[in-house]
Amino acid sequence: MSGTILVVEDELAIQELVSFSLSCHGFSVRGAASVAAARREIEADCPALVILDRMLPDGEGLAFLRELRRQPLTRELAVILLTARAGEAERIEGLDAGADDYVPKPFSPRELVARVQALFRRHRPAPADPCLCYGPIVIDPARHQTTVAGRAIPIGMAEFKLLKFLVGEPERVHSRSQLLGKVWGGHAVVEERTVDVHILRLRKTLAAVQAQHLVQTVRGLGYRLSSRGEV
C-alpha cells in the first residue's frame, strides 16, 4: 500500500482545493472524478486514505464505500466522506457504512487537513491485535469477526468498533462523550445521541444470540459491558 491520498470528487475546483491543501502539508495526492476512475486508481495502487464525495456522476459514494468494505484489499482502508449531504441521519448512515469520518460541505481546508492528520495517527501500523474476550463474546480484530458462544454474527462497522471498545474495557461505565472520543475519535461530526442509536443497533445484533443483556445502560452515566444487572 502506498502512502498516498485519493480524492474522489467530480467538482474539479473542490478536488484541486483539497489536493492543494493536502500537498502543502506533505501528502501525496491523486484525484478521481468518478466511481469508475476511483476503482481503477485503487486497483493500480491502493492508497492509504480515500476522501470520498457521496454524489458522483456514475454512482452513489455510499454504495462505493460499502463495496470497499466488502473487499479484502480495501476492508480496512481509511475513508473520509466529504459531502454536502450533512443531515444527522445521513451522517449516521455514512459512519454506519464504515466511514472513519464525515466532513460536511462547505468545509474548512485547514480543518480537513487536521482531520486527515488525526486519522493517520490513529491508523499507524501496530502489532496484530490479539483476540478480545468477555464472557461468550470473542472479537478477532485481524479478521474483523465477532463470535458469541462460538457462533459468528454479522455486525456493522460502527457496531463492531463500539463492541470492540466495550469488550476491551469491560465493567467500566463510559459516558456518551467518552464513547464518541474513543470509538469515533472525538472529531467526527456526530452528536452524542448518535451513540444511543448505535447502542440500540448493537443490542439488536446481540439479541440474535441472546447476549443483548451484556450491553447495559447505567442511568445518568452512560453504558457498560457487564454480566451484572443494570443499575
Side-chain angles (χ1 to χ4, degrees):
M1 176 183 293
S2 69
T4 61
I5 297 172
L6 178 63
V7 181
V8 186
E9 168 64 61
D10 63 317
E11 292 188 42
L12 185 58
I14 294 178
Q15 186 186 127
E16 290 179 345
L17 174 61
V18 173
S19 298
F20 176 76
S21 301
L22 292 169
S23 298
C24 287
H25 287 78
F27 292 104
S28 175
V29 186
R30 291 144 50 197
S34 66
V35 170
R39 285 196 190 100
R40 290 194 296 270
E41 289 287 339
I42 291 171
E43 289 171 1
D45 185 13
C46 190
L49 167 67
V50 172
I51 296 177
L52 177 64
D53 187 15
R54 282 195 61 166
M55 294 176 283
L56 294 164
D58 60 343
E60 219 280 352
L62 206 59
F64 182 51
L65 172 58
R66 293 191 178 104
E67 176 186 319
L68 293 176
R69 291 297 178 234
R70 291 194 296 269
Q71 304 299 322
L73 177 64
T74 55
R75 185 173 295 144
E76 301 299 326
L77 177 60
V79 177
I80 294 176
L81 287 173
L82 180 65
T83 174
R85 299 178 63 178
E88 182 187 15
E90 291 164 322
R91 297 198 303 269
I92 292 173
E93 184 182 28
L95 294 167
D96 195 38
D100 295 278
D101 201 355
Y102 200 107
V103 180
K105 297 176 183 176
F107 63 96
S108 159
R110 291 179 60 190
E111 181 183 357
L112 177 61
V113 170
R115 288 172 182 250
V116 168
Q117 291 170 331
L119 189 56
F120 272 116
R121 286 195 297 271
R122 298 202 307 274
H123 280 250
R124 283 172 182 162
D129 291 334
C131 289
L132 300 173
C133 305
Y134 180 82
I137 301 174
V138 178
I139 303 279
D140 186 340
R143 297 182 178 180
H144 197 270
Q145 184 178 66
T146 302
T147 59
V148 179
R151 177 181 169 185
I153 59 172
I155 186 168
M157 180 69 71
E159 284 71 48
F160 179 84
K161 292 179 180 179
L162 180 57
L163 183 59
K164 178 184 173 184
F165 174 74
L166 291 173
V167 170
E169 300 279 346
E171 305 296 342
R172 295 183 60 181
V173 179
H174 306 279
S175 68
R176 292 172 179 82
S177 61
Q178 288 172 333
L179 289 172
L180 281 177
K182 296 294 185 179
V183 179
W184 284 275
H187 62 282
V189 187
V190 185
E191 298 177 5
E192 288 192 3
R193 60 180 176 175
T194 302
V195 175
D196 300 334
V197 173
H198 288 293
I199 287 287
L200 288 173
R201 291 181 179 178
L202 178 57
R203 284 175 172 156
K204 184 176 180 179
T205 297
L206 294 175
V209 286
Q210 292 76 52
Q212 70 276 15
H213 62 282
L214 296 175
V215 179
Q216 300 178 356
T217 300
V218 181
R219 293 182 181 86
L221 295 176
Y223 299 102
R224 70 178 180 184
L225 188 73
S226 177
S227 57
R228 293 181 288 170
E230 294 191 12
V231 296

